[in-house]
Amino acid sequence: MSIFINPLDQQKIIIGANTSLPSFAVQGDQGSYYSTNGGIAWSGTDVLTSIADTLSDPAVAVDRNGNTFHNFLRKDGLRNKLIVRKSTNGGATWPIEVEIQNVGYRPDKNH
């Protein structure tokens, strides 16, 4: 689990978490949750991506422009991919996804 409190507005909190445990039979996934009122109420999703894959090691952050980032590892066969999703609305939606290139065959602990 990764928790980030926006230093520019401490009422805004973002959490990234593993929402299921990966196994050989079941794919693991990531959840992303956000609060705009200091944690009194929460919104989000238990399924960050629609791709059926194994995800792990969430790390979340917010930049000085208010963009929210959710970073995780995606299993692709024997290889791990380092993925970053970007939200421009505080974590309500995550339309932008990029794979970080040249991180090696099996990157681990992306944070």
Side-chain angles (χ1 to χ4, degrees):
M1 180 182 319
S2 177
I3 302 170
F4 191 90
I5 300 171
N6 187 335
L8 302 175
D9 182 352
Q10 295 186 358
Q11 293 296 303
K12 295 181 179 179
I13 305 169
I14 186 84
I15 295 177
N18 294 329
T19 55
S20 62
L21 297 175
S23 70
F24 290 109
V26 179
Q27 302 298 315
D29 213 325
Q30 296 272 309
S32 179
Y33 315 96
Y34 66 96
S35 174
T36 59
N37 58 11
I40 294 170
W42 292 89
S43 297
T45 179
D46 289 337
V47 182
L48 183 64
T49 80
S50 61
I51 300 170
D53 54 12
T54 300
L55 310 175
S56 66
D57 297 343
V60 293
V62 178
D63 70 12
R64 69 179 75 181
N65 297 317
N67 296 305
T68 306
F69 300 91
H70 187 121
N71 172 244
F72 55 92
L73 296 177
R74 173 179 283 150
K75 184 92 168 155
D76 182 16
L78 297 176
R79 183 174 170 255
N80 289 342
K81 293 181 177 181
L82 187 57
I83 306 294
V84 177
R85 304 257 348 220
K86 178 182 175 183
S87 173
T88 58
N89 56 11
T93 60
W94 299 91
I96 303 165
E97 178 177 298
V98 296
E99 178 184 348
I100 306 303
Q101 300 293 318
N102 302 317
V103 293
Y105 181 67
R106 290 192 63 122
D108 192 24
K109 303 303 175 208
N110 45 326
H111 46 82

